[in-house]
Amino acid sequence: AQSVSQHNHHVILSEAASLELGCNYSYGGTVNLFWYVQYPGQHLQLLLKYFSGDPLVKGIKGFEAEFIKSKFSFNLRKPSVQWSDTAEYFCAVTKRTGANNLFFGTGTRLTVIP
Amino acid sequence: DVKVTQSSRYLVKRTGEKVFLECVQDMDHENMFWYRQDPGLGLRLIYFSYDVKMKEKGDIPEGYSVSREKKERFSLILESASTNQTSMYLCASSPGGPASDYEQYFGPGTRLTVT
């Protein structure tokens, strides 16, 4: 069965620190990859997505993610976090064929200390 | 902007009650989804629908049913609510076509407490 692993459950950083959140998936076929973010009290919203092409994807608010096929990974990065990045981050995967089912990781809570 | 709305932000029900959670999207999307979100478990798919009157089971359909009589509306039904269904419920929609190419748009969620 397809699964998505986010190994960091809670990350605490000071402002201006660099961020990297891990995401690994288990499906062997071609996939689409997503990072969603949920700010406190707000809707889940898309941060960035990868379908094909350049494996380094840039998203909103200075986030980027790199797809490494050989490692089944899609890690999220930001060079310098801000207090407003405090949120929960979810990695999600969907197969390129068949149903549009998103498989979500368990989420990583990021707390940025001013 | 795509808007997905859910009928209630907070709901408290008693064990055994029949519960209806409503979701409406205003972008003429073919696909609609119901998830539940629990701490440490992420989001898990309950049911989804690709078209009016069509439904498919997700990963955790037990204890739930759904209804899609109109394209814009997707209802989640708890036939007999139980305490283990206390959770945050999220509705989402996405355009049709090669569905895996499209992001899903989420509603604000309904926090259901079953006592």
Side-chain angles (χ1 to χ4, degrees):
Chain A
Q2 190 160 243
S3 69
V4 180
S5 298
Q6 291 182 245
H7 303 293
N8 312 107
H9 298 295
H10 189 192
V11 173
I12 302 172
L13 294 172
S14 298
E15 273 194 318
S18 64
L19 170 72
E20 180 159 5
L21 301 182
C23 173
N24 289 90
Y25 63 94
S26 65
Y27 182 64
T30 306
V31 295
N32 295 331
L33 299 153
F34 305 80
W35 275 97
Y36 281 84
V37 60
Q38 189 172 35
Y39 298 103
Q42 294 190 26
H43 299 201
L44 204 65
Q45 58 186 282
L46 184 70
L47 203 54
L48 49 78
K49 60 187 177 185
Y50 172 80
F51 291 154
S52 62
D54 188 345
L56 185 62
V57 178
K58 295 198 183 298
I60 60 172
K61 304 187 180 185
F63 286 91
E64 64 179 31
E66 185 175 14
F67 170 50
I68 303 179
K69 190 175 181 180
S70 61
K71 294 185 178 180
F72 297 89
S73 71
F74 189 55
N75 292 354
L76 181 70
R77 299 194 293 246
K78 186 170 184 179
S80 176
V81 294
Q82 301 173 310
W83 175 79
S84 59
D85 294 324
T86 295
E88 190 151 19
Y89 294 80
F90 293 93
C91 181
V93 172
T94 183
K95 294 183 285 187
R96 291 220 53 156
T97 56
N100 179 215
N101 295 6
L102 276 175
F103 294 88
F104 282 87
T106 53
T108 297
R109 186 154 62 98
L110 172 66
T111 301
V112 179
I113 301 168
Chain B
D1 269 355
V2 175
K3 197 166 184 182
V4 180
T5 56
Q6 295 182 229
S7 51
S8 305
R9 291 299 301 270
Y10 300 94
L11 209 53
V12 180
K13 295 291 182 180
R14 294 191 184 277
T15 302
E17 278 193 84
K18 190 169 186 175
V19 182
F20 293 85
L21 302 182
E22 305 286 339
C23 174
V24 177
Q25 50 95 2
D26 66 357
M27 281 301 291
D28 202 36
H29 285 170
E30 278 76 15
N31 306 322
M32 296 189 75
F33 307 83
W34 275 106
Y35 296 87
R36 62 177 284 175
Q37 181 181 8
D38 299 289
L41 296 177
L43 277 75
R44 292 177 292 166
L45 182 66
I46 304 171
Y47 266 97
F48 57 101
S49 169
Y50 290 140
D51 202 350
V52 175
K53 296 193 186 294
M54 295 186 69
K55 59 185 179 184
E56 297 281 346
K57 292 181 180 179
D59 300 317
I60 51 164
E62 296 78 19
Y64 304 94
S65 62
V66 290
S67 172
R68 192 160 181 209
E69 296 296 318
K70 293 186 177 181
K71 191 175 186 180
E72 67 271 18
R73 188 179 297 270
F74 192 36
S75 302
L76 180 70
I77 303 154
L78 287 66
E79 296 290 343
S80 177
S82 63
T83 54
N84 62 12
Q85 292 178 310
T86 291
S87 186
M88 172 70 87
Y89 290 87
L90 298 179
C91 176
S93 72
S94 71
S100 63
D101 287 351
Y102 296 104
E103 70 178 270
Q104 294 183 16
Y105 296 85
F106 285 83
T110 295
R111 186 168 295 282
L112 173 67
T113 302
V114 182
T115 61

